Amino acid sequence: MEKALIEVKNLKTFYPIKGGLLNRTVGHLKAVNDVSLEIPTHRTFGLVGESGCGKSTLGRSLLRLQPVTSGEVIYNGRNIMEFDSKEMMEVRRDMQIIFQDPYGSLNPRFTVREIVREPLDTHGIGDVSSRNQEVMRLLEVCGLRKQVADRYPHEFSGGQRQRVGIARALALNPKFIVADEPVSALDVSVQSQILNLISDLQKEFGISFLFISHDLSVVQHISHEVGVMYFGKVVERASSEDLYKNPKHPYTQSLLSAIPKPDPTVKKERINIKGDIPSHLKPPSGCPFHPRCPVAKPECKTEVPVLKPVRGGEKEHLVSCHLYA
């Protein structure tokens, strides 16, 4: 594997649950529970799973956009979880985010010029003239005409607004971007345009991405490596090619079986999983997937499986399942 640009080690993000007359902490909601992964330089790591599994929380946590309970995020050999506000201000130039909602993430009172220029203003890069020139360059890079610079977000379509959000994320020439469901709020016809734009930007500028999505078909075409997340944990991790050709975890297999095939003559067996994701307030014992798993073993109810390499599989294919113990 290539040298990691971002290395996440045992990251945990827990939210306290208050209760009782004194409003004391009576438990914790484990949104991200002991996640480790690596994102190499110039590569895209896809993170998939059902809604509520902790994908977005993980993305925001490793950028320190919300408090983290414990764990490390190593960037350039240093743990940014130990950085003070001044150090984080410097590292934010290298680490940016593209939000899911292209309208809610843009200030409706700002013009496109002001939105894209804001990171440059905040970090004091260049003078006003050079910043405005950079805004025009970024708009062109993201497929927008210079004439739109003085328009407001409500004057654009969803796809155009997401292009503005991408231009803003690129303003500081970052090395790493978290793309948090960047196409889920867009029409299907527009999704492919934004995905192609992200792929082109990676090739042109060498940016590493953490691409978060619930759509496995989208992740397949844009990611080099994929992690499948369930109930706050990564339950399977492999190269994109290996994971889609040879999924190991029953959860991954069920998700892939739900992807529709464009050829109606090809019959595909659907693997149904019963029930919904368990409540984070009352997590199941053992493997968190065992109440829904069609092939659960007795030890799945009592023992938590460890994410480890699959015997006889690809070197970097990891799975957290007692079937492969």
Side-chain angles (χ1 to χ4, degrees), residues 56 59-61 63 65-66 92 95-107 115 118-119 158-159 161-169 177-186 194 198 209-212:
S56 295
R60 292 167 184 261
S61 294
L63 291 180
L65 294 179
Q66 60 187 48
R92 291 207 187 283
M95 305 170 75
Q96 292 291 310
I97 185 169
I98 301 169
F99 294 98
Q100 177 178 358
D101 183 358
Y103 188 70
S105 63
L106 304 178
N107 190 328
I115 289 170
E118 186 176 19
R161 284 195 288 262
Q162 194 61 286
R163 289 177 186 271
V164 173
I166 293 172
R168 178 180 60 184
I177 294 178
V178 172
D180 185 9
E181 300 262 16
V183 298
S184 64
L186 306 177
I194 298 300
I198 291 175
F209 282 90
L210 173 63
F211 190 93
I212 298 170

Side-chain angles (χ1 to χ4, degrees), residues 30 33-34 230-231 233-235 249 283-290 298-308 319-322 325:
K30 300 178 179 180
N33 190 6
D34 199 22
Y230 183 81
F231 210 71
K233 289 178 174 289
V234 173
V235 297
H249 198 283
S285 60
C287 174
F289 186 61
H290 89 258
E299 56 264 40
C300 298
K301 299 180 181 180
T302 56
E303 301 175 21
V304 180
V306 178
L307 188 68
K308 57 185 180 182
V319 65
S320 172
C321 182
H322 289 302

Side-chain angles (χ1 to χ4, degrees), residues 42 137-138 140-143 170 173-174 196-209:
H42 307 160
R137 185 188 73 84
L138 289 168
E140 284 193 307
V141 165
C142 293
L170 292 173
N173 193 25
N196 290 336
L197 173 60
I198 291 175
S199 296
D200 292 341
L201 293 174
Q202 183 174 68
K203 294 174 184 176
E204 183 174 354
F205 300 109
I207 302 169
S208 297
F209 282 90

Side-chain angles (χ1 to χ4, degrees), residues 110-258:
F110 279 15
T111 64
V112 166
R113 184 195 307 273
E114 293 170 320
I115 289 170
V116 178
R117 197 182 65 199
E118 186 176 19
L120 301 171
D121 294 338
T122 301
H123 288 267
I125 298 175
D127 55 24
V128 175
S129 176
S130 64
R131 293 173 197 170
N132 285 330
Q133 289 178 5
E134 180 65 6
V135 168
M136 297 304 172
R137 185 188 73 84
L138 289 168
L139 292 178
E140 284 193 307
V141 165
C142 293
L144 293 169
R145 295 178 294 109
K146 294 181 180 180
Q147 290 84 346
V148 307
D150 294 314
R151 292 166 59 182
Y152 291 87
H154 72 270
E155 300 179 70
F156 296 92
S157 67
Q160 289 174 320
R161 284 195 288 262
Q162 194 61 286
R163 289 177 186 271
V164 173
I166 293 172
R168 178 180 60 184
L170 292 173
L172 297 174
N173 193 25
K175 296 179 175 62
F176 172 65
I177 294 178
V178 172
D180 185 9
E181 300 262 16
V183 298
S184 64
L186 306 177
D187 293 338
V188 175
S189 60
V190 181
Q191 287 184 9
S192 60
Q193 298 174 19
I194 298 300
L195 291 173
N196 290 336
L197 173 60
I198 291 175
S199 296
D200 292 341
L201 293 174
Q202 183 174 68
K203 294 174 184 176
E204 183 174 354
F205 300 109
I207 302 169
S208 297
F209 282 90
L210 173 63
F211 190 93
I212 298 170
S213 178
H214 64 274
D215 190 335
L216 278 83
S217 59
V218 168
V219 171
Q220 180 180 13
H221 296 292
I222 200 169
S223 304
H224 299 90
E225 187 177 3
V226 178
V228 180
M229 200 165 178
Y230 183 81
F231 210 71
K233 289 178 174 289
V234 173
V235 297
E236 187 166 3
R237 206 177 89 199
S239 68
S240 179
E241 181 180 6
D242 192 34
L243 185 130
Y244 282 85
K245 284 185 178 180
N246 190 24
K248 299 293 186 182
H249 198 283
Y251 178 61
T252 309
Q253 294 170 355
S254 67
L255 291 178
L256 290 175
S257 73

Side-chain angles (χ1 to χ4, degrees), residues 37-56:
L37 53 88
E38 301 84 34
I39 303 173
T41 305
H42 307 160
R43 290 291 182 266
T44 296
F45 187 101
L47 192 64
V48 299
E50 294 172 285
S51 297
C53 70
K55 307 185 301 295
S56 295

Side-chain angles (χ1 to χ4, degrees), residues 267-278:
K267 291 186 178 181
K268 190 175 182 181
E269 183 180 352
R270 176 72 186 271
I271 302 174
N272 292 313
I273 52 176
K274 55 188 177 182
D276 299 317
I277 297 177

Side-chain angles (χ1 to χ4, degrees), residues 63-65 87-96 123 172 174:
L63 291 180
R64 281 189 57 180
L65 294 179
E87 291 173 312
M88 274 309 300
M89 187 68 170
E90 294 175 359
V91 87
R92 291 207 187 283
R93 294 182 60 169
D94 292 340
M95 305 170 75
Q96 292 291 310
H123 288 267
L172 297 174

